[in-house]
Amino acid sequence: MDFSNSFSKLLLLLLATSLATALPENKPTSGQINSNSVLVALLDSHYTELAELVEKALLLQTLEEAVGRHNITIFAPRNDALERNLDPLFKSFLLEPRNLKSLQSLLMFHILPRRISSPQWPSLSHHHRTLSNDHVHLTVDTTRRLKVDSAEIVRPDDVIRPDGIIHGIERLLIPRSVQEDFNRRRSLRSISAVLPEGAPEVDPRTHRLKKPAPVPVGAPPVLPVYDAMSPGPSLAPAPAPGPGGPRHHFNGEAQVKDFIHTLLHYGGYNEMADILVNLTSLATEMGRLVSEGYVLTVLAPNDEAMAKLTTDQLSEPGAPEQIVYYHIIPEYQTEESMYNAVRRFGKVKYDSLRFPHKVLAQEADGSVKFGHGEGSAYLFDPDIYTDGRISVQGIDGVLFPMKETPATEMKPAAPVVKKVAKSRRGKNKLFKSFKSLLLFFYI
């Protein structure tokens, strides 16, 4: 061990020894730590790496109190097992200050608040609660090898002391909660927006291969966004359509990472981030679209709104993707631009990636309201993230497309029509015609 580790070990030994004479007056006598304690033995054994993790996790006092109340059992991987078998990325994750709770949960997962020696193993082969309030399963296989969960006990009864016992295990035990936390952090770092190299371009009008025309760097994409999307709900990447990710005009991967991190740091939008990264591959698809030159506006429902989704709404295949697609507008809109539009035109329909459904927006109570009737949502947290290509607007509800209504029901009776509304309808009709004309030239 190097000098820093030896010095850390010496400090821990001095601290543990001093506890025998410097305990608080209200601490019970049974909780005193002396030189014969299992905690001191842990510091002076083959398990000093684990002891150092205990120090970094600020768990010494917790373990002292546990020894005072119980006779404990520690499952400890040897130093060489930690160095050989532990993923460097996972170890780095554990040592980050923001992940202190994960490190504490992992270490407490290795300690039982009762003494279990190897002769007791066959009669106690069932689940036992750990100090982290999780459970481990003690088993004996057909070759009489002792196991805790899936880790083999390689040195049973390695250290025996009056207040506890240490069993040497082949590798670190990792509780599910810590593994899931690590996976969430790793997923955010590994979002991939890599496009297939050399993918042929297909003319959407003739469905034949075409030779790509030279496109200036930074120019907007040639094809509509729907032709650039994956063929199904995030099933596979589509052929590279426009000015092309291979030339890396825009770093969509970095921008998607940034806005997802912003959602997490902003608070209250964890469910939306989780769907984008863990439950679907939409984050990858969005990164690919932005790399191709497309712009997107995300209407992000907050956690309170997402919690109201029912099992039926999420159980259909591809349902999470379809829900999120309806909340993505293939335009770059800010809170100011949308509010100005609804103030001027009354009602505006934005295209969504859930083609052909559109998102209705209108002015309400000095803000922008999306959707219809009871299924509407207000712009709740404006401009959470805006970088010129991706805009994220927080809303307080989950939007669903309005069900198709027969034309006879949509047409109002003659007496209901008011002449004063003609100018507004005329403006809307002119706006829609102008918008259709622009879309025709865009395509």
Side-chain angles (χ1 to χ4, degrees), residues 76-144:
R78 290 169 58 97
N79 293 340
D80 54 354
L82 282 177
E83 294 172 0
R84 183 178 64 251
N85 299 329
L86 193 60
D87 182 357
L89 288 177
F90 184 67
K91 188 172 184 179
S92 175
F93 162 81
L94 292 176
L95 297 180
E96 291 180 13
R98 62 177 178 174
N99 300 325
L100 178 63
K101 288 187 177 180
S102 293
L103 177 59
Q104 291 176 338
S105 297
L106 179 137
L107 294 173
M108 303 285 272
F109 188 67
H110 290 73
I111 303 172
L112 303 182
R114 62 177 298 183
R115 184 189 189 95
I116 300 178
S117 60
S118 58
Q120 298 174 282
W121 220 273
S123 61
L124 296 174
S125 296
H126 54 81
H127 287 82
H128 293 269
R129 183 178 293 276
T130 68
L131 289 184
S132 64
N133 287 325
D134 292 303
H135 288 84
V136 292
H137 194 202
L138 308 185
T139 57
V140 181
D141 65 13
T142 55
T143 60
R144 307 301 296 170

Side-chain angles (χ1 to χ4, degrees), residues 344-380:
R344 181 177 181 183
F345 300 106
K347 293 183 179 180
V348 177
K349 288 186 177 180
Y350 294 103
D351 291 330
S352 74
L353 292 190
R354 187 171 176 177
F355 185 82
H357 299 289
K358 298 178 182 291
V359 178
L360 175 67
Q362 56 189 313
E363 182 187 11
D365 302 326
S367 181
V368 182
K369 184 175 76 171
F370 301 95
H372 313 267
E374 295 180 358
S376 60
Y378 284 83
L379 204 166
F380 190 69

Side-chain angles (χ1 to χ4, degrees), residues 403-418:
K403 294 181 179 179
E404 294 294 332
T405 307
T408 55
E409 294 180 14
M410 295 178 61
K411 185 176 180 181
V416 179
V417 178
K418 298 180 180 180

Side-chain angles (χ1 to χ4, degrees), residues 8 11-12 50-60 107:
S8 175
L11 285 178
L12 288 169
L50 184 69
E52 289 180 11
L53 289 177
V54 170
E55 181 196 18
K56 293 180 184 296
L58 309 177
L59 286 177
L60 282 174
L107 294 173

Side-chain angles (χ1 to χ4, degrees), residues 61-83:
Q61 183 176 354
T62 303
L63 295 185
E64 294 157 17
E65 294 172 356
V67 168
R69 293 192 301 266
H70 314 284
N71 206 292
I72 66 174
T73 299
I74 301 176
F75 302 109
R78 290 169 58 97
N79 293 340
D80 54 354
L82 282 177
E83 294 172 0

Side-chain angles (χ1 to χ4, degrees), residues 17 98 225 234 325 350 376:
T17 305
R98 62 177 178 174
V225 67
S234 299
Y325 277 146
Y350 294 103
S376 60

